[in-house]
């Protein structure tokens, strides 16, 4: 089915399979708080609102384009993701498609297997950003985390106060 969240919060605590487009309007909150959520090939999530993926989730849909995306636990995206803000504060988050974001804030770990275009990337202490697809980053703040992977990460403005760059990839 499809849905439009135009006001308030929609909490989906039971998990399930979702197949149609979902609009999350500005100022609203879609909370996938419990259970395992699967999004099929025709699924879309879009809008200027906020989505929290608080449980195991796999997204195979055609599009996820949202204002704010919060990822506190294992989530796999097999489709393109566009977001104003992405916050990864858990582990096991995997992006297998293109990621386009205004800012990505990692306090956990995230793996980017597809291409990534990010205006601002923050890697504080104990965070790990793994880039196995090519990445372009406008501003990288490496302040105790680890930047690793197998591909090239092109950075325009680097602030490196502490942390590690490792792996066979390159930072240019």
């Amino acid at each position: 089915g499809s849905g439009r969240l135009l006001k308030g919060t929609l909490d989906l605590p039971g998990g399930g399979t979702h197949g149609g487009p979902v609009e999350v309007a500005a100022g609203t909150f879609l909370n996938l708080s419990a259970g395992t959520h699967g999004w099929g090939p025709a699924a879309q999530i879009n809008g200027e609102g906020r989505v929290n993926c608080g449980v195991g989730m796999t997204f195979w849909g055609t599009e996820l384009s949202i204002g704010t995306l919060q990822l506190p636990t294992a989530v796999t995206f097999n489709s393109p993701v566009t977001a104003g803000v992405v916050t990864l504060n858990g582990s096991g988050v995997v992006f297998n498609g293109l990621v386009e974001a205004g800012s990505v804030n990692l306090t956990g770990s995230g793996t980017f297997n597809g291409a990534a275009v990010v205006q601002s990337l923050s890697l504080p202490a104990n965070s790990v950003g793994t880039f196995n697809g090519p990445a372009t980053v406008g501003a990288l703040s490496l302040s105790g985390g680890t930047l690793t992977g197998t591909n090239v990460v092109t950075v325009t403005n680097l602030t490196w106060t502490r942390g590690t760059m490792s792996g066979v990839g390159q930072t240019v």
Side-chain angles (χ1 to χ4, degrees):
S2 63
R4 295 178 71 201
L5 179 57
L6 300 175
K7 184 177 180 181
T9 298
L10 175 60
D11 188 17
L12 298 176
T17 302
H18 315 287
V22 175
E23 177 186 350
V24 183
T28 64
F29 179 42
L30 175 60
N31 189 23
L32 307 170
S33 60
T36 300
H37 292 267
W39 296 82
Q44 297 177 359
I45 301 174
N46 56 46
E48 293 299 317
R50 181 170 50 122
V51 173
N52 176 60
C53 303
V55 296
M57 184 180 95
T58 302
F59 187 84
W60 287 94
T62 59
E63 166 186 41
L64 193 149
S65 179
I66 198 73
T68 301
L69 182 60
Q70 297 172 230
L71 305 168
T73 189
V75 178
T76 301
F77 295 96
N78 294 308
S79 303
V81 172
T82 303
V85 176
V86 178
T87 301
L88 290 89
N89 52 5
S91 61
V93 177
V94 178
F95 296 95
N96 290 318
L98 171 66
V99 174
E100 296 179 289
S103 66
V104 174
N105 306 307
L106 278 123
T107 57
S109 65
T111 301
F112 299 80
N113 291 323
V117 179
V118 177
Q119 292 176 10
S120 172
L121 172 63
S122 174
L123 292 165
N126 303 315
S127 64
V128 179
T130 303
F131 290 87
N132 297 323
T136 302
V137 178
L140 169 61
S141 173
L142 184 59
S143 58
T146 300
L147 177 65
T148 188
T150 60
N151 217 307
V152 175
V153 177
T154 303
V155 178
T156 302
N157 185 11
L158 173 63
T159 303
W160 187 357
T161 56
R162 60 189 169 101
T164 305
M165 290 188 197
S166 67
V168 298
Q170 297 178 351
T171 304
V172 294

